[in-house]
Amino acid sequence: MKAISVFAVVSALSISLPSVGMPLQLVLRLQERVSMSTLARNVQDPTSARFRKFYTPEEIRSIAAPTDADYATLLNNLKSQHVTVVQESPSHLFLTVQAETSVIENLFQVKLVSINAKTHTFKGQVHMTHGLGAIASVSGLDNQRHVHPMFQRTPADFGLGGGVDVPTIRKLYGFDAIYKQGITGAGQHLAIATYDDFDVSDSASYFKQFSISPVPTVDKVPVGGTPKPNDNTAMETDTDIELSGSIAPGASIHVFSSATNDDPGEVKLFTAILDDNRAKVANYSYGGCEQDVTAEHKADMNTIFERAVAQGVNIMVASGDSGTACPQGDAQGNITGYVDPGADWPAAHPSIVAVGGTKIDPKASQLQEVAWSGKGKAGGSGGGMSLVWNLPTWQSDIGAQFTKRSYPDIAFNADPASGQTVLIKEFGFPFPMSIGGTSIAAPQWSGFMILVGQARAKANLPQLGFLNPILYAMSASDKASTLNDVTDGNNGDFSAGKGWDAVTGWGSLHASSLFTYLTTH
């Protein structure tokens, strides 16, 4: 018998789910023969034969997944226990399955417990019986945790669109010189990870109204069922599409929308993006508290994020909007409270690129920035130190006080006081609105990475791969010429200063200079 240490604290008011007639979907992570961390190291090691030769989902299946025989045995064992396989990852690392609650309770020796009409948890310890030894973990027995979007409105500009416009952003950050080279992101694919449904006509109207040319193509990729409309998450999705597309107007944008905002939804969302394997940049403008994430879900997502590195995918994540505090949210994506101090999830993970926030002066002739300052409800650039993840080797020189993975890595305009104009739908009608938050910073860095991808492909260079080790290894002179070091402001417990800091990372970008560096190294 194999056991996984999973515990759940259940309210005394909770009631048991019906034991029959109530199907439940779960996501099963399977045992790896070779770890994703090993594959990720291979593609980053200049001495490895796999350096910058990124793995495909098919190769990962061949190298790391259970053998075909073990996989077939697992499927047969699940079927014999009246479990239906809903979806198989091409990598053979994840399975989505469905069964009645009584079957699940018997299979894993737990008691499922209802919290309300939509959420549930469980009592007991998960056991792997009935020939299920190929399963490493089970996601979906508890679906209480939710992430929330990282945007903030600028109330004074409600419905007026008084934010900073695209030409100003392009000019101040130095994008125009890239476009003059004929680089727009053409031929490149960007994945946006989000939740719920949205109206694709909103972004189409934005690109037309604000004269974005060429116009990005945008399509929907539903994940885990049919996503339902949600005004709150639709605002985030619109913002991500419009701001990434304004930087990389020639790109193909694929919006992966999960039907559920919970742990299994997050697992399925990123597994779908990596299985698809078109996009080498993925944007995620959602987050929560690292402290609220179970050890099992951290392990699931660690496998996925390291797999992204192995496949050459940069996941650009908003670092958070509450400084050194971290937010807790409800099922609708609303913030209900803060943990202070706390680390943001998944911004503090070592295999993603965390994008912090600054405040720009849009009237200046040259880029002038300070950190987006503040914490908690007042807002501020998310940053600090993980309580979980070890300090990666490429961060070894950031300062003695930083003993765990620390973030953000980079930054971009995000303060609502210098928010940017987007077109979002409210009450069924599209409104131009000024939006801030690190969820306007991440998609614009994502757009920049798409431009880099096109230029490298045009020059017959391999994919860039994981950005962080490259940035941290740059010489002081290279950083000075390619990055804008933000030295003023704070996010609560940390202050911006010379070099890397836990407020804005290495700072923002001088786009054309950094573009040149990343397309020649």
Side-chain angles (χ1 to χ4, degrees):
M1 182 184 298
K2 180 179 177 180
I4 297 179
S5 297
V6 183
F7 297 94
V9 177
V10 182
S11 166
L13 297 178
S14 300
I15 58 173
S16 295
L17 286 165
S19 59
V20 294
M22 188 173 181
L24 184 67
Q25 278 199 7
L26 303 175
V27 180
L28 310 179
R29 176 168 61 89
L30 307 188
Q31 299 282 357
E32 302 166 36
R33 285 180 290 139
V34 177
S35 70
M36 291 301 102
S37 60
T38 297
L39 302 187
R41 284 196 300 271
N42 289 347
V43 299
Q44 296 176 86
D45 181 0
T47 67
S48 169
R50 290 296 309 219
F51 179 59
R52 281 185 173 166
K53 295 179 180 178
F54 300 101
Y55 296 91
T56 65
E58 293 75 22
E59 285 182 298
I60 288 172
R61 169 181 167 177
S62 174
I63 295 168
T67 65
D68 288 348
D70 288 344
Y71 187 79
T73 297
L74 174 62
L75 295 185
N76 287 332
N77 289 341
L78 289 169
K79 183 178 180 180
S80 71
Q81 297 298 319
H82 308 290
V83 176
T84 301
V85 175
V86 176
Q87 187 172 16
E88 302 176 54
S89 167
S91 69
H92 283 192
L93 291 177
F94 286 91
L95 283 172
T96 300
V97 300
Q98 181 171 295
E100 292 183 352
T101 56
S102 59
V103 171
I104 290 170
E105 289 175 330
N106 176 65
L107 199 61
F108 299 114
Q109 298 184 10
V110 296
K111 186 65 175 178
L112 290 164
V113 178
S114 175
I115 303 299
N116 56 43
K118 294 183 179 180
T119 60
H120 56 266
T121 185
F122 67 100
K123 293 178 179 179
Q125 187 176 18
V126 176
H127 292 269
M128 298 305 173
T129 60
H130 306 287
L132 304 183
I135 299 174
S137 70
V138 182
S139 180
L141 295 173
D142 185 309
N143 69 345
Q144 298 177 84
R145 193 188 69 88
H146 312 283
V147 291
H148 70 274
M150 296 286 193
F151 71 83
Q152 292 202 358
R153 303 168 186 253
T154 305
D157 290 325
F158 181 84
L160 301 177
V164 182
D165 60 19
V166 172
T168 299
I169 290 294
R170 288 178 170 181
K171 172 181 173 292
L172 290 178
Y173 281 105
F175 285 97
D176 289 335
I178 300 174
Y179 303 133
K180 288 179 181 177
Q181 300 176 43
I183 301 296
T184 64
Q188 299 296 297
H189 300 269
L190 170 65
I192 290 177
T194 190
Y195 298 88
D196 309 313
D197 198 15
F198 67 100
D199 189 343
V200 73
S201 69
D202 295 343
S203 58
S205 297
Y206 170 88
F207 295 134
K208 180 177 181 180
Q209 182 171 331
F210 295 100
S211 302
I212 304 299
S213 180
V215 177
T217 61
V218 180
D219 62 67
K220 296 182 180 183
V221 185
V223 177
T226 303
K228 296 179 181 179
N230 180 306
D231 286 347
N232 197 35
T233 52
M235 291 181 193
E236 183 58 74
T237 305
D238 287 343
T239 297
D240 290 345
I241 296 169
E242 291 164 13
L243 294 185
S244 61
S246 70
I247 298 299
S252 295
I253 300 175
H254 312 293
V255 184
F256 289 76
S257 301
S258 173
T260 61
N261 183 341
D262 52 22
D263 286 353
E266 194 169 47
V267 169
K268 286 186 281 189
L269 183 56
F270 282 95
T271 297
I273 290 171
L274 296 178
D275 287 345
D276 184 80
N277 203 35
R278 285 177 294 176
K280 298 306 175 184
V281 181
N283 186 87
Y284 196 44
S285 294
Y286 291 80
C289 268
E290 184 183 76
Q291 292 94 319
D292 293 340
V293 184
T294 67
E296 289 71 33
H297 187 60
K298 289 187 181 87
D300 288 346
M301 294 307 297
N302 184 58
T303 293
I304 290 168
F305 291 150
E306 288 184 330
R307 177 185 168 188
V309 174
Q311 288 186 208
V313 178
N314 275 293
I315 301 177
M316 317 299 286
V317 175
S319 75
D321 292 351
S322 50
T324 51
C326 68
Q328 298 174 304
D330 62 17
Q332 287 70 47
N334 300 309
I335 297 173
T336 57
Y338 298 89
V339 175
D340 187 10
D344 286 273
W345 170 268
H349 191 278
S351 292
I352 58 88
V353 182
V355 186
T358 67
K359 177 183 178 181
I360 65 170
D361 180 356
K363 296 181 181 178
S365 58
Q366 296 182 349
L367 182 63
Q368 295 183 16
E369 283 180 296
V370 297
W372 177 24
S373 296
K375 73 171 182 176
K377 189 175 182 179
S381 177
M385 185 166 59
S386 171
L387 301 176
V388 177
W389 309 109
N390 291 331
L391 189 75
T393 56
W394 38 265
Q395 275 197 320
S396 59
D397 295 330
I398 61 174
Q401 67 174 312
F402 298 103
T403 57
K404 291 281 192 178
R405 159 61 168 157
S406 302
Y407 69 105
D409 303 299
I410 47 180
F412 202 89
N413 181 47
D415 191 327
S418 56
Q420 295 175 228
T421 302
V422 296
L423 197 66
I424 60 178
K425 189 164 289 181
E426 286 258 273
F427 311 112
F429 298 96
F431 287 100
M433 185 178 292
S434 178
I435 293 289
T438 50
S439 67
I440 75 169
Q444 292 179 97
W445 262 97
S446 294
F448 169 74
M449 294 300 294
I450 289 293
L451 301 179
V452 171
Q454 182 192 356
R456 290 185 68 88
K458 188 176 180 180
N460 293 317
L461 293 171
Q463 294 164 219
L464 182 68
F466 189 29
L467 177 64
N468 280 352
I470 299 169
L471 287 182
Y472 282 80
M474 289 168 64
S475 68
S477 60
D478 284 333
K479 288 189 179 85
S481 64
T482 61
L483 298 165
N484 182 47
D485 191 6
V486 180
T487 58
D488 295 318
N490 70 84
N491 62 357
D493 296 343
F494 298 100
S495 296
K498 186 176 181 180
W500 183 91
D501 55 69
V503 186
T504 61
W506 291 110
S508 67
L509 76 170
H510 298 301
S512 61
S513 299
L514 184 59
F515 174 84
T516 299
Y517 182 92
L518 295 178
T519 54
T520 55
H521 286 74

